[in-house]
Amino acid sequence: MELSEVDGVPEWLPDHLAGEGIESLYPPQAEAVEKGVTRGESLVASVPTASGKTLVAELAMLASVAAGGKALYIVPLRALASEKRAEFEAFEEYGVEVGVSTGNYESNERWLGEKDIIVATSEKVDSLVRNGASWIDRLDCVVADEVHLVDDRNRGPTLEVTLAKLRRINPDLQVVALSATIGNADELADWLDAGLVDSDWRPIELRKGVHYGQALHFDDGTQRELRVKSGEKPTAAIVRDTLQDEYDEEGNVAEEGGSTLVFVNSRRNAEAAARRLASTTAEHLDAEEITQLREVAEEIRSVSDTETSEDLADAVEQGAAFHHAGCAPGHRSAVEEAFRDRLVKCVCATPTLAAGVNTPSRRVIVRDWRRYDGSAGGMAPLSVLEVHQMMGRAGRPGMDPYGEAVLLANAHDELDELFDRYVWAQPEPVRSKLAAEPAMRTHVLATVASGFAASRGALLEFLEQTLYASQTDESGRLERVADDVLGYLEANGFVERDGDGLQATGLGHTVSRLYLDPMSAAEIIDGLRDADPTDVSALGLYHLVSRTPDMYQLYLRSGEREDLAMMAYERESEFLGAMPSEFEDERFEDWLSALKTAKLLEDWADEVDEDRITERYGVGPGDIRGKVDTAEWLLGAAESLAAELDLGSVTAVREAKKRVQYGVREELLDLAGVRGVGRKRARRLYAADIETRADLREADKSVVLGALRGRRKTAESVLENAGHQHPSMEGVDADESARPAEAPAVEDGEGDGERAIDEEDQATFGDF
């Protein structure tokens, strides 16, 4: 189908897409148009990765906007929100306004009401509904990207309930659900009253197979020799083969070598594999690539002063990289961009990279098809859907002539097993996880508090509109779980019942607005109510929020239990709530896990060097950032709850929140709050006797320049943000006596973007 044949879209769209090389629609896209996606008809598109799902969404949203409507694009991950924003911003030159929202669960963000297309995570959309965003009822089109994630135990229930609420608010809402190929796309379509495009079409060929012995065995029955050298691992052999150019009969390069994604089952394996494969990729770099990769490596080193940064940068300099949740966001984005630019030739990743983020490659190697599963008590096979998601990353349209995705077998029986289990298998059906009690606690309270249900009957009627209700054969299960949850909410003062009638209390409304699991709120409230407000410590507060269901606690490593138990007894008076007996094994273990998490937060707030924290707790910089962000959110919620209940600990909670937010001791809070200062610059300024924001406003500029190591633009920006009347550093010489000890001198005019790693940054702030 030609673009000119598509009705309902803006007149400028065909020319715009032609400028991007898109002259006609792929078959699944054409089928979506035929089924009315540009005429407001709901649709489920279950098609492989790289087959044009995003354009289907764009056609629907732009048709809606052209008709005077408003569109919402729901993504599962913040990183994917940023990626989609960058894509959709290309429409702004035609007057389409795009807005993005992913954080701050307490706001309704009225400014989004002025946008034509809004990109947000499902959690953010859920919170916007709870907080009564006025523009929600003006939505005409909602796109749910990666909708198969309704099967995810953590994210799925929120996406499912959010879609149900949006359809309840807007009865004529168009829902466009995008999915990888799944086994029951028809069930999702029935649930959403939508048409269905269920296709296995891809723009370029994807060959799936297994490497065994000295050959690749493909799903079409063919084989291709791919020899593994003596002392070489099969993964390295495949990466080496992928990097080699292909030649025609005359000896000319017919196809340049390509890139490889290697999926492994743990962070440690991702890092180890990248280190090993760096020696393979390094042999295929030219001089220009080496220079560019050194620049990327420096960017990575500037993200954090940790071993993870250094190890990643070392691998990147040789054309390889790793990618996992322990990497900081800056690490991951740098790797993704360098991989898309074909500078990094091989990325070793955990399966998280398979979901959403646009990182296709010539070949995909699924090295590990088992991973540890605590519920199974050991290693368990990955799902077919997850492996197919990884395999779907093979082959980038417009850049690769084909894609190949292979698993690795160590024996002939395993070769047959992998073909049966994954290559020839169909993905599993997705199943709702809404009936799990943790999910129901949160969503039942929100449903009552936001006015969707004023009675038990109305609540059950709403729940009947969910995917779970359409899938379950277990009579009465939803009703039983809902009643159990209502009993819990009533016992904790979040809802009141009058016969069949339901009403959220003021406290219940606050908990819903704060986006807390009600069990987290109950834990926080109990801890603060029992506390002496004059004797609340930061560690006690960090431990309180760390033992809530909303905080993912650090695991106890072998040998840590005894040391943490000793610390627990030594600091027992600081805890907000009674410590369980050590003979209550499971409860005591959870208490100690929360203590380990709280101690990490305390170290961060005590300005312990980031590298020391990663080493001590066995985490990556991304984990630190995640724990800090979660603690800041939970402490902000605790502050709101303490204020509502008129508890005397509000000030202590607020200070603990600020300290963990900025990663500083109490004396630096004022300085660190100046935009552009942060924990390390605040300490340098403080050492130069600039102790407050007011001091900074009136400071001698030569002292500020010296304390900030001669970086003029940084100093000017900091002074401007502090409100200095004359922030310009023109003609100012740095006061060398204010320059931090051990810091290398910086020539005037250098350092437009200060690196985070300096010699003095490696200093610690106390032994631990």
Side-chain angles (χ1 to χ4, degrees):
M1 178 183 288
E2 298 300 315
L3 288 167
S4 58
E5 300 175 47
V6 180
D7 59 353
V9 298
E11 292 181 1
W12 51 263
L13 185 59
D15 287 341
H16 171 80
L17 293 175
E20 296 184 347
I22 302 173
E23 299 286 351
S24 58
L25 297 180
Y26 290 156
Q29 296 166 340
E31 187 179 351
V33 170
E34 290 166 359
K35 294 199 172 181
V37 78
T38 60
R39 299 191 302 274
E41 298 293 332
S42 292
L43 183 82
V44 171
S46 175
V47 297
T49 301
S51 298
K53 290 193 292 286
T54 299
L55 182 56
V56 171
E58 291 172 347
L59 292 173
M61 293 190 298
L62 291 171
S64 176
V65 171
K70 182 183 295 292
L72 172 66
Y73 193 100
I74 302 175
V75 294
L77 304 170
R78 290 189 181 190
L80 192 54
S82 299
E83 184 178 299
K84 293 303 176 185
R85 173 182 60 187
E87 289 182 34
F88 300 156
E89 281 178 346
F91 305 139
E92 290 190 335
E93 65 176 293
Y94 305 103
V96 177
E97 295 195 39
V98 179
V100 177
S101 179
T102 57
N104 190 359
Y105 293 139
E106 298 178 52
S107 68
N108 61 22
E109 305 199 13
R110 290 187 180 89
W111 62 273
L112 289 172
E114 302 171 5
K115 304 299 181 182
D116 299 306
I117 295 176
I118 299 158
V119 183
T121 61
S122 53
E123 290 79 10
K124 180 59 185 181
V125 178
D126 185 22
S127 76
L128 288 165
V129 173
R130 297 185 190 198
N131 283 282
S134 59
W135 52 268
I136 290 288
D137 61 3
R138 291 188 279 122
L139 288 173
D140 297 278
C141 174
V142 169
V143 176
D145 201 357
E146 309 286 340
V147 74
H148 54 274
L149 289 175
V150 293
D151 191 77
D152 183 271
R153 192 167 299 277
N154 296 313
R155 297 192 190 102
T158 297
L159 176 59
E160 179 179 345
V161 170
T162 298
L163 288 175
K165 286 182 177 178
L166 291 175
R167 296 181 69 212
R168 177 80 169 266
I169 295 169
N170 306 284
D172 297 325
L173 183 69
Q174 178 188 23
V175 177
V176 179
L178 310 178
S179 172
T181 303
I182 56 175
N184 61 334
D186 56 333
E187 285 188 17
L188 292 182
D190 288 344
W191 170 50
L192 295 171
D193 299 315
L196 175 63
V197 174
D198 193 359
S199 171
D200 59 4
W201 184 90
R202 282 176 55 100
I204 59 174
E205 180 187 12
L206 172 63
R207 304 175 76 197
K208 299 176 183 177
V210 180
H211 183 272
Y212 171 65
Q214 304 292 332
L216 292 171
H217 305 255
F218 289 110
D219 51 355
D220 59 3
T222 63
Q223 296 182 19
R224 177 177 166 230
E225 184 180 51
L226 199 161
R227 303 197 67 81
V228 181
K229 298 177 181 177
S230 177
E232 186 180 40
K233 298 283 188 183
T235 305
I238 298 171
V239 170
R240 169 177 52 78
D241 181 78
T242 311
L243 285 165
Q244 292 172 347
D245 296 335
E246 297 179 16
Y247 296 90
D248 59 23
E249 295 178 357
E250 286 75 35
N252 300 314
V253 175
E255 186 62 45
E256 293 183 352
S259 55
T260 309
L261 266 175
V262 181
F263 285 105
V264 298
N265 59 10
S266 71
R267 299 179 183 186
R268 182 176 298 177
N269 284 340
E271 295 179 15
R275 282 194 296 270
R276 287 194 300 270
L277 292 170
S279 59
T280 300
T281 56
E283 297 176 2
H284 295 266
L285 301 175
D286 59 35
E288 183 179 352
E289 289 174 328
I290 291 171
T291 299
Q292 291 177 293
L293 284 169
R294 283 174 181 161
E295 293 174 1
V296 177
E298 285 306 298
E299 178 187 345
I300 287 169
R301 289 189 176 99
S302 74
V303 170
S304 68
D305 53 342
T306 62
E307 187 177 347
T308 299
S309 263
E310 196 60 40
D311 289 348
L312 180 57
D314 288 347
V316 164
E317 285 181 327
Q318 299 179 78
F322 54 84
H323 187 293
H324 56 63
C327 299
H331 291 149
R332 296 197 293 268
S333 60
V335 167
E336 291 161 13
E337 184 176 353
F339 191 62
R340 285 193 287 263
D341 291 343
R342 302 197 126 175
L343 289 172
V344 166
K345 309 298 182 183
C346 174
V347 173
C348 303
T350 52
T352 52
L353 188 64
V357 181
N358 182 26
T359 50
S361 65
R362 176 77 54 81
R363 269 197 181 128
V364 165
I365 304 171
V366 183
R367 197 197 75 175
D368 301 332
W369 55 276
R370 297 184 183 93
R371 68 163 166 237
Y372 181 78
D373 183 343
S375 62
M379 303 299 285
L382 299 175
S383 69
V384 178
L385 177 60
E386 198 166 9
V387 170
H388 282 202
Q389 280 279 89
M390 300 177 202
M391 289 179 155
R393 292 288 160 196
R396 51 181 105 189
M399 297 186 71
D400 290 318
Y402 58 86
E404 288 182 353
V406 297
L407 297 111
L408 305 183
N410 296 313
H412 196 277
D413 287 348
E414 190 175 20
L415 169 68
D416 294 336
E417 179 185 1
L418 291 177
F419 266 96
D420 290 338
R421 182 185 288 274
Y422 294 116
V423 177
W424 289 326
Q426 292 299 310
E428 303 86 354
V430 301
R431 306 292 299 178
S432 167
K433 300 299 187 292
L434 179 61
E437 192 168 311
M440 287 289 279
R441 279 197 305 264
T442 297
H443 293 297
V444 165
L445 176 59
T447 301
V448 175
S450 54
F452 279 88
S455 68
R456 176 182 176 275
L459 173 65
L460 294 176
E461 182 185 347
F462 171 72
L463 292 175
E464 283 297 324
Q465 299 173 21
T466 62
L467 176 64
Y468 179 82
S470 71
Q471 287 185 328
T472 185
D473 295 324
E474 188 177 348
S475 176
R477 168 79 189 281
L478 201 57
E479 186 173 352
R480 289 194 303 273
V481 175
D483 282 337
D484 288 345
V485 167
L486 284 173
Y488 175 86
L489 296 174
E490 185 179 17
N492 282 277
F494 300 140
V495 300
E496 294 174 340
R497 303 179 71 168
D498 182 9
D500 189 56
L502 287 176
Q503 181 177 336
T505 63
L507 184 59
H509 278 287
T510 299
V511 171
S512 178
R513 175 177 57 80
L514 293 171
Y515 210 72
L516 285 174
D517 181 329
M519 187 174 282
S520 294
E523 184 79 28
I524 290 169
I525 291 167
D526 289 345
L528 294 179
R529 272 181 172 154
D530 295 339
D532 178 353
T534 64
D535 192 30
V536 175
S537 72
L539 179 76
L541 289 165
Y542 298 152
H543 185 263
L544 176 62
V545 300
S546 292
R547 61 180 195 253
T548 66
D550 281 310
M551 174 71 83
Y552 288 101
Q553 299 171 352
L554 296 175
Y555 292 107
L556 296 186
R557 293 182 294 183
S558 176
E560 289 184 333
R561 190 181 192 277
E562 186 175 339
D563 290 341
L564 284 165
M566 187 177 299
M567 183 191 301
Y569 289 120
E570 289 173 353
R571 303 186 68 170
E572 185 174 1
S573 62
E574 297 183 58
F575 298 137
L576 303 177
M579 183 169 69
S581 164
E582 62 181 300
F583 299 107
E584 299 177 77
D585 287 342
E586 188 172 343
R587 285 191 64 215
F588 193 62
E589 289 273 331
D590 288 344
W591 189 269
L592 295 182
S593 293
L595 177 56
K596 179 179 178 181
T597 308
K599 192 65 179 69
L600 179 151
L601 295 169
E602 184 184 54
D603 284 354
W604 173 257
D606 278 343
E607 301 176 46
V608 173
D609 183 79
E610 191 175 11
D611 197 27
R612 295 288 301 276
I613 294 176
T614 60
E615 181 181 355
R616 180 178 187 186
Y617 296 96
V619 297
D623 298 305
I624 297 175
R625 190 71 257 164
K627 294 289 181 287
V628 166
D629 287 347
T630 303
E632 182 188 345
W633 161 53
L634 290 172
L635 287 165
E639 182 183 352
S640 296
L641 292 170
E644 173 148 340
L645 297 170
D646 198 23
L647 303 177
S649 48
V650 173
T651 302
V653 175
R654 183 183 301 122
E655 182 177 295
K657 180 188 73 172
K658 290 293 184 185
R659 285 190 58 201
V660 83
Q661 176 185 355
Y662 298 126
V664 296
R665 297 177 181 178
E666 183 180 352
E667 68 267 20
L668 293 188
L669 281 175
D670 192 32
L671 264 183
V674 176
R675 189 160 55 91
V677 173
R679 70 197 305 240
K680 294 178 180 178
R681 290 173 182 160
R683 182 54 65 187
R684 295 174 193 142
L685 291 165
Y686 194 88
D689 295 325
I690 300 171
E691 301 181 357
T692 65
R693 184 188 298 256
D695 291 344
L696 189 55
R697 277 198 298 269
E698 305 299 328
D700 184 322
K701 291 193 289 186
S702 65
V703 174
V704 174
L705 188 59
L708 297 181
R709 300 162 51 247
R711 284 173 159 76
R712 294 183 178 278
K713 289 190 176 180
T714 297
E716 287 178 353
S717 176
V718 164
L719 286 178
E720 183 177 356
N721 293 335
H724 198 288
Q725 287 190 334
H726 305 289
S728 172
M729 284 289 162
E730 186 176 352
V732 177
D733 294 323
D735 183 340
E736 292 301 317
S737 67
R739 189 184 295 275
E742 302 178 21
V746 179
E747 296 296 327
D748 284 350
E750 286 190 6
D752 291 352
E754 180 176 8
R755 284 191 53 205
I757 302 175
D758 308 295
E759 291 301 316
E760 87 275 21
D761 287 345
Q762 303 302 319
T764 60
F765 295 92
D767 197 12
F768 59 97

